[in-house]
Amino acid sequence: MASTPDRLSGAGPSCAHGRQSGSCAECTVRLISVCGALSLDELTALERLNQPLVLPPRATLFGQDDRATAVYNVTKGALRLSRLLPDGRRHVLGFVFSGDFLGLALDDHFTMSAEALTHVQACRFDLKAFRSLTGAMPSLLGALHARTSHELSLAQDHMLLLGRRTAEERVASFLLGLRERYRRNGLTSATLELPMTRQDIADHLGLTIETVSRTFARFTRERLLLDVPSGVRVLAADRLERLAGC
Amino acid sequence: MASTPDRLSGAGPSCAHGRQSGSCAECTVRLISVCGALSLDELTALERLNQPLVLPPRATLFGQDDRATAVYNVTKGALRLSRLLPDGRRHVLGFVFSGDFLGLALDDHFTMSAEALTHVQACRFDLKAFRSLTGAMPSLLGALHARTSHELSLAQDHMLLLGRRTAEERVASFLLGLRERYRRNGLTSATLELPMTRQDIADHLGLTIETVSRTFARFTRERLLLDVPSGVRVLAADRLERLAGC
DNA sequence: CGATCGGTTGAGAGAGATCAACGCAGGTGG
DNA sequence: CCACCTGCGTTGATCTCTCTCAACCGATCG
C-alpha cells in the first residue's frame, strides 16, 4: 500500500521541504519550531548563520562528551538521543523529529549522542554566533526557555512511566505519545512510522528488547495494532489509551 | 490522600520571618541561587517584589493543577515535589532545598505539588511582576534558562536510574546525590539529614517502601551506613560509590 | 552462500512487588 | 496514668512480572 505522506515533511516534487532550497521564511517546520518566535528581520539574521547539513542513516550528528560547537534544528528525518554508561548499559533519552531543536549543552559539552535513524536534514548554527544572537534577541531566548521547560515536563512524565508503569503501559503510552507528536507535526495518518529499532524502544522505556517484542506481539494478537512495513497501524486507539492508564 | 494540614498561611510582609531582616544582597543563598546572576541594581528591583513566607512541616506550597500565581526561592528547609496519578500512584519528582528556585509552570498551571517536609522559609514573587522583570532582565532569563537546562540534565540522569538501575544502585546513588547536594550548599557534615520519609524515597526511586527499607537495612548491616536520628551517616562513601555504579 | 542484523518466541530464574504481621513513638482523651 | 490510635518503619513469606539465556527466522549484503 502506498502510504500517505511518507515521512514528516511533504516530500513534494518542488522539494521545498526543510530549508535546503527555500529561505527560513518558507521553511515547512518554521511554525512548529523555535524559529516561529522570531520576526522576519530576526529570521533573516538567523538565516545568515545557517549551515544546512544532511546525514545518512546511522550517522552521528554529535557524540556523548563531544565539545558542543553548534546547535541544530531538524527539518527532515529522525534522530535518536542516547546516553551510554561505562558498563555498556544504554539509555535512549528520546527521539527527535522535524521541527525539533537540539544541541543545547550545559557546559559546552554534550551529555548525550545524537544519531540519525533515517536520512536527516538539519540547520546547523555555530554555537558562538547563535549565543550572541540569543543575547540580542530576548524572544529567541524566551522560545528556547519555553522549549526547555516543555522538555523538562516531558522528562518528568517519562520518569513516572519508568518508575511506576508496567511494560504494557509503557509501550502503549509510547505509541500514543508518538502518534500525538506526529499529529502535532501535521501527520495525521493512522500508520505510525517507527524509524527506531526494538532495541531503541526498549532502551527508551527501560525494558528489554524481548519484553518490547512480546508486548508488540500481544497488542497485534489482540487487534490493537496491525503490523505494517516500517511501523504499525493503530487499530484501537481508545483501548490503547485505557491500557496506557492516562 | 489530599488532605492538607496547613494551607499556605498568610504571611504578612510585616512578620518577622522569611528572608526578613537582611536584604537580598546579604542573603545566605544568593550565590547558589538564580539571584546570583543579577547585578545589585537588578537585585534591588527583584527585592521589591519579594513577599517572604514561612511554611510549617506538611504544609502545601502549591498543589498539582493549581493556577500558578507566583514563583519561589527557598531560603530554608526542604520540600517535596510530587505528582499524583488518578489511580493513586505517586511519583516524587525530587526534593527542594535552600537556594533552589521553584514554581515555573508551563501554561500557568502547576503540574506537580510542593509540600514542606520541614519548617520552610521562602521568597515569594508574584508571577506577573516576575515575568515583566524577566522581560526587562535578559540576565535573569538566562539564569532561569540555565537552571531549567540543568534540571533537565538531572531529570535525564534520573531517567537512566529509573530505567536501568537496580534497587541497590538507586538507593546508593540517591544517598550520594543528596550528599553532593548538601555539600554544594555548604553542608559538609558526614551525617545526611533525611527530612523525607521512606515512602517519599521509594516514590522518588521507583521502588516500594519495603525495598527501600530492606536496602537501607542491608547497607547498615554491611557497615556502609550508620543509623542516626533523622538521617544516616555515610561510613564508606567509596564503597557506596562503587555500588552506585558511576 | 555464509555472515550479520533485527526481530520473534520459549523456558527458566530472579529481583522486586505484594501481602501480612509487628514494633515503636507521639498524640489524645478518658 | 493508661488505653487507644495513627504514622512510620521493619521484617518475613510468597508471588509474579520481567529479565536472562537460548534457539530460530527472514532479510540484506558482500
Side-chain angles (χ1 to χ4, degrees):
Chain A
M1 51 171 79
S3 61
T4 33
D6 189 50
R7 226 170 270 300
L8 296 174
S9 57
S14 63
C15 198
H17 55 244
R19 235 243 12 106
Q20 299 305 313
S21 44
S23 71
C24 281
E26 296 158 4
C27 178
T28 52
V29 302
R30 181 190 162 202
L31 290 180
I32 54 170
S33 187
V34 282
C35 324
L38 302 178
S39 69
L40 269 182
D41 279 355
E42 292 172 327
L43 206 57
T44 309
L46 184 65
E47 188 167 9
R48 265 197 290 273
L49 299 181
N50 181 16
Q51 303 165 297
L53 69 85
V54 294
L55 290 175
R58 296 166 162 278
T60 298
L61 181 57
F62 54 79
Q64 192 171 352
D65 302 321
D66 275 7
R67 190 161 179 74
T69 58
V71 295
Y72 308 89
N73 214 357
V74 179
T75 55
K76 185 158 189 249
L79 298 101
R80 172 186 68 215
L81 298 178
S82 59
R83 278 188 184 184
L84 208 57
L85 277 84
D87 65 2
R89 282 180 291 190
R90 192 181 69 148
H91 178 64
V92 170
L93 300 163
F95 303 99
V96 167
F97 300 100
S98 300
D100 287 340
F101 182 88
L102 80 161
L104 285 185
L106 272 186
D107 55 349
D108 288 356
H109 278 274
F110 293 117
T111 56
M112 64 189 83
S113 62
E115 290 122 15
L117 297 172
T118 65
H119 179 82
V120 165
Q121 292 181 4
C123 305
R124 179 186 190 279
F125 302 103
D126 181 75
L127 187 60
K128 273 190 175 169
F130 187 78
R131 282 250 174 87
S132 65
L133 211 61
T134 56
M137 291 183 197
S139 56
L140 184 55
L141 184 54
L144 284 179
H145 185 233
R147 216 144 242 259
T148 307
S149 298
H150 184 240
E151 256 172 67
L152 181 57
S153 179
L154 290 181
Q156 288 166 348
D157 287 341
H158 202 65
M159 283 196 267
L160 200 147
L161 179 145
L162 292 171
R164 287 277 173 253
R165 278 165 150 61
T166 65
E168 195 169 74
E169 290 174 314
R170 294 185 202 198
V171 174
S173 169
F174 169 71
L175 292 172
L176 290 172
L178 206 56
R179 202 172 74 126
E180 181 56 28
R181 203 153 160 204
Y182 283 166
R183 194 168 276 174
R184 261 203 299 274
N185 286 9
L187 212 71
T188 54
S189 161
T191 297
L192 276 182
E193 297 286 330
L194 296 177
M196 66 294 285
T197 68
R198 293 285 190 271
Q199 186 66 60
D200 292 333
I201 298 175
D203 286 342
H204 183 48
L205 300 180
L207 299 170
T208 57
I209 183 174
E210 293 95 331
T211 300
V212 171
S213 181
R214 277 187 252 268
T215 308
F216 268 97
R218 186 162 0 114
F219 284 174
T220 304
R221 209 180 311 127
E222 291 169 2
R223 304 272 179 271
L224 291 162
L225 298 179
L226 185 66
D227 266 32
V228 295
S230 78
V232 293
R233 175 176 285 264
V234 177
L235 297 180
D238 51 340
R239 282 203 288 156
L240 216 50
E241 267 157 26
R242 226 169 303 132
L243 280 182
C246 98
Chain B
M1 189 154 125
S3 87
T4 49
D6 294 279
R7 194 72 185 177
L8 170 47
S9 52
S14 59
C15 298
H17 53 231
R19 211 212 64 284
Q20 63 279 84
S21 41
S23 70
C24 280
E26 296 158 6
C27 178
T28 51
V29 302
R30 183 192 163 201
L31 290 179
I32 54 171
S33 188
V34 282
C35 324
L38 302 178
S39 69
L40 270 182
D41 279 356
E42 291 172 329
L43 206 57
T44 309
L46 185 65
E47 189 167 8
R48 265 196 290 274
L49 299 181
N50 181 15
Q51 303 165 297
L53 69 86
V54 294
L55 290 175
R58 298 166 161 276
T60 299
L61 180 57
F62 53 79
Q64 193 169 352
D65 303 320
D66 275 7
R67 191 159 178 76
T69 57
V71 295
Y72 308 89
N73 214 357
V74 179
T75 54
K76 186 155 187 256
L79 299 101
R80 172 186 68 215
L81 298 178
S82 59
R83 278 189 184 184
L84 208 56
L85 277 84
D87 65 2
R89 283 180 290 189
R90 190 181 70 148
H91 181 239
V92 169
L93 300 163
F95 303 99
V96 167
F97 300 99
S98 300
D100 287 338
F101 182 89
L102 79 160
L104 285 186
L106 273 186
D107 55 349
D108 289 355
H109 278 274
F110 293 117
T111 55
M112 65 189 83
S113 63
E115 290 122 14
L117 297 172
T118 65
H119 180 82
V120 165
Q121 293 181 5
C123 306
R124 179 185 190 278
F125 301 104
D126 181 75
L127 187 60
K128 273 189 174 169
F130 186 78
R131 281 252 174 86
S132 65
L133 211 60
T134 56
M137 290 184 197
S139 56
L140 185 54
L141 184 54
L144 284 179
H145 185 232
R147 215 144 241 259
T148 308
S149 299
H150 185 239
E151 258 173 66
L152 182 57
S153 179
L154 290 181
Q156 287 166 349
D157 288 340
H158 203 64
M159 283 196 267
L160 201 147
L161 179 145
L162 291 171
R164 287 277 173 255
R165 277 166 148 62
T166 65
E168 196 168 72
E169 290 174 315
R170 294 184 202 198
V171 174
S173 169
F174 169 71
L175 291 171
L176 290 172
L178 207 56
R179 201 171 76 126
E180 181 56 26
R181 204 154 159 203
Y182 283 164
R183 193 168 275 174
R184 261 202 301 274
N185 286 10
L187 242 68
T188 54
S189 161
T191 297
L192 275 182
E193 297 287 329
L194 296 177
M196 66 294 287
T197 67
R198 293 285 189 270
Q199 186 66 60
D200 291 334
I201 298 175
D203 286 342
H204 183 49
L205 299 179
L207 299 170
T208 57
I209 183 174
E210 292 96 331
T211 300
V212 171
S213 180
R214 277 187 251 268
T215 307
F216 268 97
R218 186 160 3 112
F219 284 174
T220 304
R221 210 180 311 128
E222 291 168 2
R223 305 270 179 272
L224 291 162
L225 298 179
L226 185 66
D227 266 32
V228 295
S230 78
V232 293
R233 174 175 286 263
V234 177
L235 297 180
D238 51 340
R239 282 202 287 155
L240 217 49
E241 266 157 26
R242 224 169 304 131
L243 281 182
C246 99

